[in-house]
Amino acid sequence: MKIRPETENDIAAIQAVNVAAFENDAEARIVDELRKHADPFVSLVAERDGDVVGHIAFSPVTHSEKPELNILGLGPMAVVPELQKTGIGTFLVAKGLEECRSLGAGALVVLGHPEYYPRFGFVPASRFGIRSEYDVPDEVFMAMELQDGCLADAAGLVKYHPVFGGG
Ligand SMILES: CC(C)(COP(=O)(O)OP(=O)(O)OC[C@H]1O[C@@H](n2cnc3c(N)ncnc32)[C@H](O)[C@@H]1OP(=O)(O)O)[C@@H](O)C(=O)NCCC(=O)NCCS
């Protein structure tokens, strides 16, 4: 299994992975829109035996009080149903964190499974005083510093890229 940046040839396969994992095309469409509008757009695929079996994306978020903070949002991420819980997601997140760090991102946020993301270092964003535009339970919106201290004084509202549709 190999984790690598997407290429143009992966676009249809990335759509298929997202549709299969989420059982609708909303996330696939978001990925396509992010590809057009987000900068940076970090998009990695997991390839197994020549097939794309997983995908992860990161894109810039905005911070209401500190627009200068370089924060990326994780998502969507997806692994084909038949291979979920076999470690592919873990590889995608690990490589994704590396990639975001190398791009100079100071921190990440994610809106997702509270049982899943803490293993990578995410904690509830509320610990940094960071709120989500979405009305979600506290533990579902998480943040993680990639550079120590980046979120030390980061209380405020964080919004995902507009293509996510806002809250
Ligand atoms: C969530 C998802 C991307 C995780 O990828 P994955 O390859 O299945 O995850 P991994 O195999 O790396 O899982 C590692 C661990 O997390 C656990 N885990 C996986 N998915 C989980 C979930 N949805 N909730 C809680 N724990 C989960 C696994 O049981 C495993 O635990 P273990 O290490 O104790 O055995 C994948 O399950 C998926 O595509 N789900 C449907 C789409 C989705 O929900 N995307 C994320 C939106 S936030």
Side-chain angles (χ1 to χ4, degrees):
M1 223 248 326
K2 186 165 126 188
I3 310 292
R4 59 165 177 79
E6 71 163 39
T7 70
E8 225 170 285
N9 295 334
D10 298 319
I11 291 176
I14 291 170
Q15 289 166 345
V17 167
N18 277 281
V19 168
F22 289 102
E23 299 179 335
N24 68 66
D25 68 357
E27 283 76 12
R29 283 168 187 269
I30 287 173
V31 173
D32 287 338
E33 290 300 303
L34 286 174
R35 188 177 292 113
K36 284 190 233 158
H37 301 293
D39 183 22
F41 171 56
V42 177
S43 177
L44 306 177
V45 297
E47 182 185 319
R48 204 179 79 147
D49 300 333
D51 292 327
V52 172
V53 294
H55 175 254
I56 192 167
F58 299 83
S59 56
V61 300
T62 54
H63 190 288
S64 59
E65 313 303 319
K66 298 269 170 75
E68 71 279 10
L69 288 179
N70 187 352
I71 309 176
L72 298 180
L74 187 167
M77 86 170 278
V79 172
V80 290
E82 57 275 23
L83 291 174
Q84 286 176 8
K85 307 205 174 181
T86 65
I88 294 171
T90 300
F91 281 114
L92 281 165
V93 175
K95 189 77 182 175
L97 300 188
E98 233 177 72
E99 190 74 19
C100 292
R101 204 176 267 120
S102 74
L103 284 175
L108 298 173
V109 294
V110 66
L111 188 74
H113 305 296
E115 313 84 11
Y116 187 62
Y117 295 99
R119 66 187 67 208
F120 304 106
F122 284 95
V123 298
S126 59
R127 290 209 202 153
F128 301 104
I130 295 175
R131 290 171 290 113
S132 164
E133 72 212 278
Y134 302 97
D135 185 18
V136 290
D138 187 65
E139 67 275 17
V140 169
F141 189 54
M142 293 165 266
M144 173 182 177
E145 289 182 336
L146 294 177
Q147 292 173 19
D148 280 348
C150 174
L151 299 179
D153 185 22
L157 179 70
V158 160
K159 290 191 175 185
Y160 266 82
H161 193 282
V163 309
F164 282 87

